[in-house]
Amino acid sequence: MKRELSMVLCLLLLPGMAGAGTGADSPEKKAASAVNNKRNVRQKITLVGTRKSTSVRPLSVCEVKVDLPTDSMLLSWVGFLSPSATEAPKVEEVRQTVSGSIVLDYSRGQKTKYDERNFVEAVYKLLAVTRPLKETPGVSLKEYGWEYIVVDIQWYEPYAATNEYHPFADVVMDEYGRLLPAVNRFPSAANGAGFGSLAEYVHSLGLKFGIHIMRGIPRQAVHQNTKIMNSDRHAREIAKTNSICAWNTDMYGVDPEKDGAREYYNSIFELYASWGVDFIKCDDIARELPHEESELIMLSKALHGCGRPMVLSLSPGPALLEKAELYKQISNMWRITDDFWDKWELLYDMFSRAEKWCTHAGAGHWPDADMLPVGPIRQVYDVNNWTNFTQDEQITMLTLWSIMRSPLMLGGELTGFDEFTMNLVTNSEILAMHANARHSHQVWRREIDGIEHALWIAADTKGGYYVAVFNL
């Protein structure tokens, strides 16, 4: 929702990928010795200490030593680990695309305006490529499954510079009202290339490319009454001008009942497909039900009919639990909360949300608990800002997200991660649990000796069980 930066680097690791480490301590090798009966269940227990007790350390967190290349680039990385699926997919093409991947979403650490140079530098960070004059070795996040790179909100706004939106800003679009990258920020988009060149570059590195979009049609297109591609209708005829985003002024909703509405959505996804887009984060939609449900369904049909498999992520939350089956049928992930920040009360509340939503995680569809605010965050305000979560709270958070099978998104500036943060997010055992956990659920939540505890359990596809004990 409210932007902390203008670009997302989405490293998407879906469980089951070979990328989560293939060395001596890889999930595959560890799984070979995993539990196969009740006597061995204790080998899989993850004990988590939180604010109230820092003496209990998680047994499953291993020390992975990594050195990050130093660089002046100010980037925020989000790791999205999407659970791998053994169940039969509902949308075959999309399920094949996302099976075994991770998304890293770049959205909460930027200090300055982003542009194409920042994006290319971000790719180097992802691959841990040694830059000229930068001799420090780094960890290749790609080897851990981070795969998608996503450009976040307002890539079409020439003067977007901070976390604040410019009200009623001019945007870049074509004659059909379809938004285009601002060339002053993305030079490779010149001459109608759009994001095609960037996507081609990303693909050449074995990665995947995504973009953020807003629900609807640009207000600017409606005011100019642009044509609708492959239709005799115009923008004013399909706009739903009383359907507007409460926190951004770029768009009007689209009325699915109007002739030309379907053609408009078809045209934008045909454009994205021509660019080579693999991931769509659609904003201002997940919680806008039931009043905008028909527009969401129309959008999903256009995406799935464009001829190119794309992951569909819905924001912002909280999503409606009574619409869980709809989300699962038309999308791959949906936010179950509003923006999640580094506040204990929000993490505490997530246990209740996780209990309600965990049973809806399955093959190619996952409740999204939002990004993990770790390391340096809120960089637009102060370069010294750091997550307010303690180390134990961060372990609690990552363990809950992983066992409930939420996508994992790292919401801090990667170049500023310390050893603890890097060890946490490259932890092969946690990634293995996230990849292999099935039938995850809370067993009980009760007070013991004056301290609230919660017990979670999940079956391990490699045999045995994962058990997580949280003291809250």
Side-chain angles (χ1 to χ4, degrees):
M1 232 175 89
K2 188 173 181 181
R3 177 182 56 201
E4 273 298 318
L5 50 68
S6 303
M7 176 172 161
V8 173
L9 287 184
C10 192
L11 297 183
L12 171 64
L13 171 69
L14 302 182
M17 289 297 285
T22 55
D25 64 343
S26 69
E28 290 79 3
K29 291 189 177 181
K30 289 183 177 180
S33 59
V35 293
N36 291 309
N37 53 55
K38 292 183 179 179
R39 290 177 303 171
N40 292 327
V41 169
R42 59 190 177 85
Q43 296 178 13
K44 288 290 209 173
I45 290 181
T46 301
L47 296 179
V48 181
T50 64
R51 306 169 20 129
K52 294 184 179 181
S53 173
T54 59
S55 60
V56 181
R57 303 300 299 181
L59 303 181
S60 68
V61 174
C62 59
E63 294 298 318
V64 181
K65 302 299 182 182
V66 292
D67 295 312
L68 193 65
T70 58
D71 197 295
S72 61
M73 294 308 305
L74 307 173
L75 302 176
S76 173
W77 294 71
V78 173
F80 161 54
L81 294 93
S82 178
S84 62
T86 57
E87 305 94 333
K90 295 183 178 180
V91 183
E92 185 64 26
E93 294 83 359
V94 173
R95 300 310 182 247
Q96 290 176 355
T97 298
V98 300
S99 178
S101 296
I102 289 188
V103 173
L104 180 83
D105 200 0
Y106 167 52
S107 61
R108 287 194 180 169
Q110 178 174 326
K111 299 184 211 171
T112 57
K113 172 179 162 183
Y114 75 92
D115 55 22
E116 189 163 274
R117 182 179 65 86
N118 299 51
F119 186 91
V120 174
E121 291 286 346
V123 175
Y124 277 104
K125 292 294 187 304
L126 169 58
L127 298 176
V129 175
T130 302
R131 306 294 288 132
L133 303 181
K134 305 294 184 179
E135 302 301 331
T136 304
V139 59
S140 173
L141 293 177
K142 181 184 175 184
E143 293 182 2
Y144 287 85
W146 309 113
E147 184 176 14
Y148 288 75
I149 298 182
V150 181
V151 181
D152 206 356
I153 192 168
Q154 285 198 320
W155 38 265
Y156 46 79
E157 210 271 79
Y159 303 107
T162 70
N163 62 309
E164 299 296 332
Y165 301 111
H166 296 146
F168 307 103
D170 290 335
V171 299
V172 181
M173 62 185 192
D174 67 9
E175 60 182 308
Y176 300 110
R178 302 181 299 179
L179 293 168
L180 300 173
V183 175
N184 63 314
R185 295 162 61 194
F186 297 92
S188 68
N191 301 317
F195 277 129
S197 296
L198 269 187
E200 182 179 5
Y201 169 67
V202 170
H203 293 155
S204 73
L205 300 172
L207 304 172
K208 295 183 179 180
F209 178 78
I211 59 174
H212 173 290
I213 67 171
M214 295 289 293
R215 170 183 67 89
I217 187 170
R219 294 191 187 192
Q220 183 173 306
V222 176
H223 299 160
Q224 296 179 10
N225 201 25
T226 58
K227 298 177 182 179
I228 302 300
M229 190 174 186
N230 298 323
S231 171
D232 59 358
R233 304 297 178 174
H234 291 73
R236 289 178 189 168
E237 298 177 80
I238 70 169
K240 194 174 180 181
T241 55
N242 64 344
S243 175
I244 58 177
C245 177
W247 42 270
N248 179 276
T249 60
D250 294 341
M251 315 291 276
Y252 287 127
V254 171
D255 188 343
E257 300 299 319
K258 298 296 179 66
D259 290 342
R262 177 173 55 84
E263 286 79 6
Y264 172 73
Y265 268 115
N266 286 345
S267 74
I268 64 172
F269 283 105
E270 288 170 4
L271 178 65
Y272 304 153
S274 73
W275 290 345
V277 172
D278 306 298
F279 183 98
I280 293 287
K281 176 183 177 181
C282 185
D283 222 331
D284 189 40
I285 192 66
R287 67 187 181 198
E288 302 303 316
L289 305 182
H291 50 286
E292 307 302 349
E293 184 170 325
S294 57
E295 183 175 2
L296 171 58
I297 293 173
M298 181 173 61
L299 180 152
S300 176
K301 287 181 177 179
L303 180 149
H304 290 114
C306 74
R308 182 179 181 84
M310 298 181 192
V311 178
L312 178 57
S313 170
L314 306 179
S315 285
L320 307 179
L321 189 60
E322 62 269 25
K323 295 293 182 179
E325 293 305 316
L326 174 65
Y327 297 131
K328 289 153 69 173
Q329 292 170 23
I330 65 175
S331 69
N332 301 105
M333 50 187 286
W334 57 92
R335 282 266 296 277
I336 63 174
T337 179
D338 203 339
D339 289 352
F340 180 81
W341 283 100
D342 51 335
K343 298 179 180 179
W344 170 250
E345 56 268 28
L346 296 180
L347 177 53
Y348 181 84
D349 177 68
M350 192 60 72
F351 279 83
S352 297
R353 296 180 187 272
E355 180 185 12
K356 295 173 183 176
W357 278 102
C358 63
T359 57
H360 295 288
H365 52 77
W366 302 283
D368 174 11
D370 201 12
M371 63 185 64
L372 305 167
V374 297
I377 60 175
R378 297 188 180 89
Q379 296 291 286
V380 293
Y381 302 111
D382 187 336
V383 298
N384 297 312
N385 280 340
W386 196 265
T387 181
N388 288 318
F389 281 141
T390 66
Q391 290 186 358
D392 287 314
E393 289 169 349
Q394 293 175 66
I395 294 170
T396 297
M397 175 174 59
L398 182 59
T399 305
L400 176 63
W401 266 237
S402 296
I403 199 167
M404 73 165 282
R405 305 186 70 210
S406 167
L408 301 182
M409 304 182 184
L410 305 178
E413 182 192 325
L414 183 63
T415 59
F417 279 9
D418 60 5
E419 184 179 43
F420 167 82
T421 307
M422 289 303 296
N423 287 344
L424 185 67
V425 304
T426 59
N427 184 313
S428 59
E429 291 190 356
I430 290 294
L431 300 188
M433 179 174 72
H434 185 267
N436 299 321
R438 297 293 185 274
H439 313 298
S440 308
H441 63 279
Q442 179 176 290
V443 179
W444 51 252
R445 185 171 175 176
R446 63 181 67 151
E447 188 171 300
I448 302 174
D449 295 331
I451 298 178
E452 186 177 8
H453 289 74
L455 174 67
W456 278 69
I457 191 170
D460 182 354
T461 59
K462 304 297 184 180
Y465 299 88
Y466 291 104
V467 178
V469 181
F470 303 91
N471 53 320
L472 307 178

